[in-house]
Amino acid sequence: MFLSVFDLFKIGIGPSSSHTMGPMTAASRFLAEVAGDDWPRPAGVKVDRLGASLHGSLAYTGVGHGTDRAVILGLTGETPITVDPDKADAQVEKVKAEKRVSPPGHPGYNFDPAVDLVLDKKTPLLGHANGMAFYAYDAAGRLLLKRIYYSIGGGFVVSEEELQRMKTRGSVTTEGKKVPYPFKNAVEMLRMADKSGLSIAEMKRINEETHMTREELDQGLDHIWSAMKGCIDRGLSQDGIMPGGLKVRRRARQLHDKLQEQWQQNRPNPLLANDWLSIYAMAVNEENAAGGRVVTAPTNGAAGTLPAVLRYWLHFHPEADQAGIRDFLLTAAAVGGIIKTNASISGAEVGCQGEVGSASAMAAAGLCAVMGGTPEQVENAAEIALEHHLGMTCDPVGGLVQVPCIERNALGAVKAVTAASLAIKGDGKHFVPLDAAIETMRQTGVDMNEKYKETSQGGLAVNVVEC
Ligand code: SF4
């Protein structure tokens, strides 16, 4: 069982990993298929026009989450890594005006988003709540190629066949990757740690280093933290209203300025740590809501919690160092991998417990580890954080990743620090195992009404008047 740290922490753009990054990746995968030879292309017939349809949650909240823009950008050849957030709007407007996409390496295809991009709320695709189909037609309008993809959370995209294989084998990234510590749940992780005498971060590092050099791993981890930190810093420097029509104002910068003022005047603030955690998390999620550059942790909607806790550790703990940052990320990824393998990190599948709940558990585990926690204490920290997010629904107002998402990340960060602090003061023994909390989250997600799974059909989304 292997899910790389770089599968969970992916650099991309906001506002949503499942509804923005995933569909953009799916569109670029479809382009590759169109250009490839893996389908029966009638002799002399050329692809003239492309189309796409979004289903389930992607149809309900796609406009608020920027899914339509993501598909357009993907069909121009952009990916979440290559796209420049500052140029994306102009690229989308160009496609709308020209009714055509010209991805590099392709002859160019007709594609009028007003006609060829359909939000189909009536026909969910059966494999997953976030389904989408792409189509290629010839000049006579005959369908030449159709492919279905699912965006399964955290920016992961699978085809129908891959989804089936994943359901049978348990993970999308397990194939062909053998690792020395193949733990697929927390019990196995603790057993292997006990037998080997290694920490969770050390086992995860050894697993990663079977596929890359130590230097590559450390550079990659440093790059991830640098992107997270850059996102916090950008978020703390911006003002104004976030896009999408809700007219929600950015607050992180103002709160940051107030805190700095208090700090300089030496005014006592008993809530200091909470305040810093909140502004760091909100800075990231405001950037995400504005379509900026963010890192999935494990998703975009939950991208603020973990960086906030890591930045808090650097801010308040004098022993914090570069090696600790790497251990934090590796430990968090180990826990995130277990959650993704056995339940879900997708709001459309299990509600926000799978997004901010998972992020909080990962952050709690990372913090507990770098504060010197044993593997048992780390597992306890993750469990406490996840347990106290169980049942949390996904009900974004207006389908935008703003309310409740931005503050929710702040609260997820505060809970993560509390969980790590409680766990490290114990001896690692505790009542609810992490595996039980994860299985409870999965079952709760299955039972959860679709209204509360990123469809904006229930909860806050229907009880808050949009103005
Ligand atoms: S409510 Fe939670 S799961 Fe839903 S979009 Fe917001 S952060 Fe993501």
Side-chain angles (χ1 to χ4, degrees):
M1 186 67 55
F2 183 73
L3 199 59
S4 169
V5 63
F6 302 115
D7 290 323
L8 285 155
F9 301 126
K10 291 195 283 281
I11 299 172
I13 63 161
S16 168
S17 44
S18 57
H19 289 53
T20 317
M21 285 170 59
M24 197 183 297
T25 301
S28 68
R29 270 187 73 167
F30 183 66
L31 279 181
E33 295 223 33
V34 167
D37 298 324
D38 208 15
W39 54 283
R41 190 189 306 258
V45 172
K46 286 185 185 158
V47 173
D48 176 76
R49 183 166 65 87
L50 301 181
S53 55
L54 307 174
H55 302 259
S57 172
L58 295 181
Y60 279 107
T61 60
V63 173
H65 283 51
T67 313
D68 49 347
R69 292 173 78 250
V71 168
I72 295 168
L73 289 164
L75 291 179
T76 66
E78 296 287 4
T79 67
I81 293 173
T82 61
V83 69
D84 180 344
D86 293 332
K87 295 184 181 149
D89 279 345
Q91 286 172 281
V92 170
E93 290 314 312
K94 185 167 181 273
V95 173
K96 285 182 178 171
E98 294 177 356
K99 302 180 178 155
R100 192 164 174 80
V101 287
S102 305
H106 291 254
Y109 310 107
N110 291 314
F111 177 71
D112 178 0
V115 179
D116 297 318
L117 178 52
V118 176
L119 273 68
D120 183 349
K121 294 182 182 166
K122 293 202 175 123
T123 334
L125 299 180
L126 297 179
H128 188 278
N130 293 334
M132 66 206 112
F134 289 86
Y135 313 86
Y137 303 92
D138 68 9
R142 280 177 305 201
L143 180 64
L144 299 175
L145 179 66
K146 175 183 175 185
R147 288 285 184 266
I148 289 175
Y149 301 99
Y150 295 102
S151 179
I152 59 171
F156 291 89
V157 169
V158 291
S159 65
E160 273 200 303
E161 301 73 40
E162 288 165 345
L163 186 73
Q164 281 317 315
R165 277 208 299 279
M166 201 181 100
K167 282 181 176 167
T168 316
R169 295 182 189 181
S171 171
V172 65
T173 52
T174 56
E175 291 169 64
K177 291 191 174 181
K178 291 211 179 341
V179 292
Y181 299 101
F183 49 83
K184 58 182 183 299
N185 54 46
V187 166
E188 290 180 5
M189 179 175 76
L190 291 181
R191 201 181 296 137
M192 289 179 199
D194 186 41
K195 201 170 163 204
S196 65
L198 297 172
S199 69
I200 293 167
E202 285 166 337
M203 291 194 297
K204 184 76 179 135
R205 172 175 283 281
I206 291 169
N207 285 348
E208 297 285 345
E209 287 180 2
T210 56
H211 308 296
M212 65 187 85
T213 65
R214 173 157 295 206
E215 198 175 42
E216 284 166 345
L217 175 61
D218 285 342
Q219 274 177 4
L221 292 170
D222 294 349
H223 186 51
I224 291 293
W225 171 238
S226 161
M228 287 176 170
K229 186 172 169 300
C231 185
I232 293 174
D233 291 338
R234 259 194 328 279
L236 292 180
S237 68
Q238 304 292 316
D239 280 319
I241 305 281
M242 285 173 283
L246 277 187
K247 301 194 186 112
V248 177
R249 186 169 284 285
R250 284 182 185 248
R251 287 178 290 162
R253 180 179 174 165
Q254 271 186 14
L255 293 170
H256 177 253
D257 291 349
K258 275 191 191 153
L259 270 185
Q260 290 283 33
E261 206 181 296
Q262 281 181 356
W263 185 275
Q264 277 153 15
Q265 293 171 357
N266 256 338
R267 294 215 304 266
N269 177 359
L271 300 174
L272 193 64
N274 279 7
D275 287 347
W276 278 109
L277 280 164
S278 298
I279 60 157
Y280 289 147
M282 289 168 70
V284 170
N285 284 84
E286 288 175 1
E287 266 306 284
N288 180 58
R293 178 72 69 210
V294 291
V295 183
T296 60
T299 65
N300 275 28
T305 294
L306 186 144
V309 174
L310 188 38
R311 183 85 174 245
Y312 149 86
W313 179 63
L314 289 163
H315 188 148
F316 285 96
H317 292 246
E319 76 282 8
D321 60 8
Q322 191 72 22
I325 293 172
R326 295 169 185 160
D327 283 350
F328 187 114
L329 293 173
L330 288 166
T331 308
V335 167
I338 290 172
I339 296 174
K340 176 158 171 47
T341 299
N342 295 290
S344 173
I345 56 168
S346 161
E349 254 184 324
V350 296
C352 199
Q353 55 176 352
E355 293 209 14
V356 173
S358 299
S360 188
M362 291 165 66
L367 181 62
C368 187
V370 294
M371 290 197 307
T374 63
E376 287 76 15
Q377 288 170 321
V378 168
E379 185 257 5
N380 189 8
E383 184 282 316
I384 295 170
L386 187 62
E387 181 185 331
H388 300 291
H389 284 89
L390 289 176
M392 198 160 72
T393 59
C394 170
D395 51 358
V397 178
L400 298 164
V401 194
Q402 297 179 10
V403 180
C405 319
I406 295 169
E407 286 178 2
R408 187 161 285 178
N409 275 262
L411 276 285
V414 172
K415 280 194 207 180
V417 173
T418 307
S421 179
L422 283 174
I424 208 151
K425 291 179 179 70
D427 60 4
K429 294 198 186 95
H430 55 104
F431 196 73
V432 180
L434 175 58
D435 288 332
I438 293 171
E439 174 56 15
T440 304
M441 180 172 89
R442 190 193 66 76
Q443 289 177 17
T444 307
V446 170
D447 291 342
M448 197 180 276
N449 190 299
E450 294 303 312
K451 286 194 294 189
Y452 304 113
K453 294 199 267 191
E454 213 164 351
T455 56
S456 290
Q457 301 291 297
L460 281 177
V462 297
N463 285 298
V464 177
V465 181
E466 295 175 38
C467 47

